Amino acid sequence: MSHPSVSSGPSGDLVPRHIAVIMDGNGRWAAERGLPRHAGHREGMKAVREIIRGCIDSGVEILTLFAFSTENWQRPEEEIVALMTLLQIYADQEKEELREKGVEVRVLGDLARVDGPTHDAVERIESATRGGAKMRLNLMISYSGRADIVSACRALARRVRDGTLDPDAIDEETISDDLLTEDLPDPDLLIRTSGEFRISNFMLWQLAYTEIYITPVLWPDFTREDLLDAVVEYQRRERRFGRISSS
Ligand code: FPP
């Protein structure tokens, strides 16, 4: 299959600066092959490598991957253990290459719920890649958009109670600055695999004006070409941010 150039299309923004991804369909990929769910997650790790390489080559500055949601804690213990183990394996296998490529990795979410070995692996990959200037990779673990907003509300309420914040001074920037993504611009493009038309509690605040691209491809089958398809589709969109057309 041939792919149009990523620089074609009417959009002035050639390449999205920040791409966020809901990596869905690992379980279905495994079920289609009569394999256990964890085999789908393991295969999904390959697609993670693929999209990172594609983003680096395309000049994407920030990639945010939804790897484990707050709701995922309700999955069977066996699957949770498999996902945490995979994260540890990923961190230790990839940290050197990511460092060499200039990728700074940050793991964002409620890490208080994560077990000790996973916590240590998170620290290892974050410290090994600190300062990487080519691309920022955010792995969202034990994350939910609503929980992040609740946590920001609590932090702001404490400052109001302590007399250091005037409620009338609270604006969108104040709230953005208290989210886990405080230092990041909002995503330009959200990709969701496996054909589901849902946000699933991901980056609820930050996705306000994000372009959404949904593909039927199951996450373990997602390739660099699928990434380019999403970017080309993004380039065809006209982003208006609630305003009228500029043409
Ligand atoms: C959703 O598919 C995917 C997950 C809950 C986990 C995502 C994890 C990975 C891609 C692998 C590890 C990632 C890193 C960064 C090491 P699902 O299980 O909900 O699939 P289904 O909807 O088909 O059941």
Side-chain angles (χ1 to χ4, degrees):
M1 189 179 159
S2 72
H3 291 272
S5 156
V6 291
S7 61
S8 65
S11 170
D13 304 316
L14 294 184
V15 170
R17 185 176 174 206
H18 182 176
I19 297 182
V21 188
I22 301 177
M23 310 182 286
D24 196 14
N26 295 352
R28 272 160 287 171
W29 183 93
E32 279 175 6
R33 288 159 181 79
L35 297 170
R37 292 179 59 81
H38 64 78
H41 297 316
R42 182 170 285 273
E43 197 67 18
M45 200 163 79
K46 293 186 190 162
V48 168
R49 290 194 190 104
E50 178 94 3
I51 196 171
I52 290 171
R53 293 198 187 117
C55 282
I56 294 172
D57 293 347
S58 308
V60 172
E61 289 175 38
I62 304 153
L63 174 65
T64 301
L65 302 178
F66 200 9
F68 191 91
S69 71
T70 308
E71 291 74 23
N72 288 155
W73 288 115
Q74 291 159 33
R75 292 197 176 190
E77 179 69 14
E78 187 186 286
E79 186 171 347
I80 294 172
V81 170
L83 279 164
M84 292 300 145
T85 307
L86 212 51
L87 185 67
Q88 293 166 35
I89 293 169
Y90 177 82
D92 289 327
Q93 271 180 3
E94 306 295 311
K95 61 181 192 302
E96 251 335 283
E97 191 184 328
L98 292 170
R99 190 190 61 75
E100 279 165 20
K101 287 192 152 84
V103 177
E104 179 171 65
V105 180
R106 294 287 308 278
V107 180
L108 305 179
D110 181 9
L111 296 182
R113 296 183 72 175
V114 163
D115 63 85
T118 305
H119 222 278
D120 293 347
V122 165
E123 280 186 4
R124 285 196 294 276
I125 194 168
E126 285 191 336
S127 64
T129 59
R130 192 158 292 134
K134 179 86 180 156
M135 192 179 84
R136 162 84 174 257
L137 170 65
N138 304 301
L139 300 177
M140 312 305 264
I141 307 281
S142 189
Y143 172 85
S144 101
R146 283 189 176 179
D148 198 14
I149 294 169
V150 167
S151 159
C153 289
R154 286 186 183 148
L156 295 178
R158 273 186 225 109
R159 282 159 58 196
V160 169
R161 183 192 59 198
D162 298 345
T164 58
L165 178 66
D166 174 358
D168 292 327
I170 297 173
D171 57 15
E172 292 188 7
E173 203 182 327
T174 325
I175 295 174
S176 294
D177 287 350
D178 259 298
L179 298 174
L180 289 163
T181 50
E182 53 180 353
D183 54 340
L184 300 172
D186 291 342
D188 301 295
L189 173 64
L190 171 74
I191 298 173
R192 178 165 191 152
T193 58
S194 92
E196 304 286 355
F197 289 75
R198 282 193 292 275
I199 297 296
S200 296
N201 209 352
F202 187 46
M203 300 184 90
L204 297 178
W205 176 271
Q206 300 89 332
L207 293 174
Y209 288 105
T210 301
E211 295 295 326
I212 300 180
Y213 178 85
I214 293 167
T215 169
V217 172
L218 302 178
W219 177 252
D221 292 327
F222 192 87
T223 61
R224 180 188 295 244
E225 283 68 37
D226 295 311
L227 171 70
L228 291 186
D229 284 345
V231 170
V232 168
E233 166 65 23
Y234 168 83
Q235 289 171 342
R236 291 198 190 104
R237 307 258 180 103
E238 185 195 12
R239 303 189 72 194
R240 295 203 300 272
F241 299 95
R243 298 185 294 264
I244 59 169
S245 173
S246 55
S247 56

